[in-house]
Amino acid sequence: MNYRALGGTGIKVSAHCLGTMMFGHVGNPDHDDCARILHTALDGGINFVDTADMYSDGESEEIVGKALRGRRDDVVLATKVHFPMGGEGPNRGGNSRRWIVSAVEESLRRLGTDWIDLYQVHRPDHATDIEETLSALGDLVRQGKIRAFGCSSFPVEDILEAHYVAERRGLPRFRTEQPPYSMLGRGVERSVLPACQRLGMGVLTWSPLAWGVLSGRYRKGERVDLTTGRPALNPGRFDPALPENGPKLAAAAKLAELADEIGCSLPDLAIAFVVAHPAVTSVILGPRTMTQLESSLKGAALVLDDETMDRIDEIVPPGKDQYHVDAAWSPESLTDVTRRRRPLTERAAA
């Protein structure tokens, strides 16, 4: 396993990161099996583990915490804050100082540790001034509760604003970004990845299999069971009868043919593609089973030559999203129609 510098933190992390979103009742409810998956990842050279407080309502953090007992010092541990946790209420989520200082204590408790190596803001929160968020996170660094902090699924304008505010106010800045990135979801190549490179930010990417479309299980023209696995969570993503799914399934079929030609699996091709980008520090693997993890570890040494990369570019052009990349967040500039439409009396040009 190769190790890369995580932005300017001085921390070295493996090029593969173990994602634990599937640990717990949402994916794999067997705590012992999840622990075996984590230990196998560590034994395979992975030293980077990513979780979040909201994964299985905190259960994922609890599983990770138990599994890391006796091995904590050897692991770079990342988790996240933002989504509502522990009941209802207008202040039980977001990126406010009030919520962050409360949520970090709960994450530390569930993880059974005194510190978090990388604490990530899971999504933007435009109701909170970014200065407020950076200030609160900086205080946690000074208190020794976290070592560094980053953001996740931030649009480029929010990344740049955060960097500008940190510089102007003399605050610690985001050291990492965690965007969705895959052969079918290449939109971040246009601005997010270049911005991260220019700012010296580490990048750990999620969903290299494009929500499972690049798992190799879904083929154009074949029937898809929409009642189990990932299709059950969001049938509209996988239903071949929906016209919007045609292009991505067609692209996935061509990519599967390419994988067959070079003698690897489609998931191996997908993961190796992301690892090859110069802006990417580590790609998050999200196995639910030991078989899925072992398959990924076997493909870790795969090197894609320029000819193969060119073939991928022909199938899905650079910077193009071949499917809807669900970042679980949409800016108000899109969701609030008043941000996109002038009042009726002001819409005419004359």
Side-chain angles (χ1 to χ4, degrees):
M1 183 65 64
N2 293 321
Y3 299 88
R4 299 170 173 177
L6 186 63
T9 65
I11 301 171
K12 297 293 181 66
V13 297
S14 48
H16 282 178
C17 173
L18 180 68
T20 63
M21 188 178 75
M22 301 307 291
F23 285 13
H25 67 267
V26 168
N28 186 344
D30 188 329
H31 288 205
D32 291 336
D33 190 42
C34 291
R36 284 190 290 270
I37 292 172
L38 189 147
H39 293 158
T40 299
L42 300 186
D43 294 341
I46 291 176
N47 76 336
F48 198 10
V49 177
D50 177 78
T51 185
D53 55 1
M54 56 85 68
Y55 292 166
S56 289
D57 302 318
E59 187 180 2
S60 174
E61 285 188 328
E62 293 175 353
I63 294 171
V64 170
K66 289 188 295 183
L68 286 181
R69 288 173 187 167
R71 306 186 72 167
R72 174 67 184 93
D73 290 344
D74 300 323
V75 172
V76 178
L77 180 59
T79 191
K80 309 179 193 74
V81 61
H82 170 79
F83 288 105
M85 289 287 294
E88 299 180 358
N91 294 310
R92 300 198 60 80
N95 302 343
S96 68
R97 173 182 288 272
R98 187 181 192 276
W99 178 243
I100 288 172
V101 298
S102 173
V104 74
E105 296 295 343
E106 289 301 303
S107 285
L108 289 168
R109 178 186 60 80
R110 286 188 292 264
L111 290 165
T113 185
D114 295 327
W115 83 98
I116 294 163
D117 293 291
L118 178 63
Y119 200 44
Q120 300 159 100
V121 179
H122 213 154
R123 293 293 187 272
D125 172 15
H126 290 159
T128 303
D129 194 312
I130 190 63
E131 181 178 350
E132 178 83 359
T133 301
L134 295 174
S135 176
L137 293 168
D139 286 346
L140 294 182
V141 172
R142 284 185 287 274
Q143 293 165 14
K145 294 180 179 179
I146 65 175
R147 299 294 188 253
F149 58 86
C151 50
S152 175
S153 301
F154 271 43
V156 69
E157 61 270 21
D158 284 355
I159 294 172
L160 295 176
E161 181 192 8
H163 182 80
Y164 170 73
V165 170
E167 187 175 66
R168 185 180 62 180
R169 297 298 190 187
L171 296 169
R173 63 188 179 90
F174 287 134
R175 290 293 187 175
T176 62
E177 158 62 10
Q178 184 179 140
Y181 182 39
S182 71
M183 292 190 295
L184 294 181
R186 303 183 61 174
V188 293
E189 294 175 341
R190 289 182 174 273
S191 55
V192 170
L193 297 185
C196 289
Q197 285 180 289
R198 294 182 66 175
L199 297 175
M201 297 174 68
V203 174
L204 46 156
T205 65
W206 58 274
S207 198
L209 302 187
W211 245 72
V213 177
L214 296 175
S215 66
R217 297 197 304 272
Y218 308 105
R219 304 271 179 159
K220 185 179 180 181
E222 295 182 5
R223 192 182 71 84
V224 176
D225 183 356
L226 301 175
T227 64
T228 61
R230 287 188 180 274
L233 299 176
N234 193 324
R237 287 181 178 273
F238 301 90
D239 189 347
L242 297 178
E244 59 266 30
N245 288 331
K248 71 181 178 185
L249 291 176
K254 293 179 181 178
L255 292 166
E257 292 174 2
L258 175 58
D260 289 339
E261 287 181 30
I262 66 173
C264 72
S265 69
L266 180 56
D268 286 348
L269 179 71
I271 294 169
F273 167 81
V274 177
V275 172
H277 195 289
V280 173
T281 309
S282 186
V283 55
I284 298 173
L285 313 176
R288 181 177 56 83
T289 67
M290 182 70 77
T291 299
Q292 292 172 348
L293 173 67
E294 290 174 340
S295 175
S296 296
L297 291 176
K298 288 178 182 177
L302 177 63
V303 176
L304 304 182
D305 59 23
D306 288 340
E307 181 181 354
T308 301
M309 297 294 281
D310 289 343
R311 296 271 304 276
I312 294 172
D313 288 349
E314 292 172 0
I315 297 170
V316 181
K320 180 179 176 61
D321 284 328
Q322 191 65 66
Y323 80 122
H324 174 61
V325 180
D326 181 12
W329 176 86
S330 294
E332 290 183 356
S333 58
L334 298 181
T335 59
D336 183 352
V337 296
T338 64
R339 300 287 186 94
R340 296 183 282 107
R341 302 173 188 172
R342 289 179 180 271
L344 192 61
T345 56
E346 299 177 11
R347 292 181 191 175

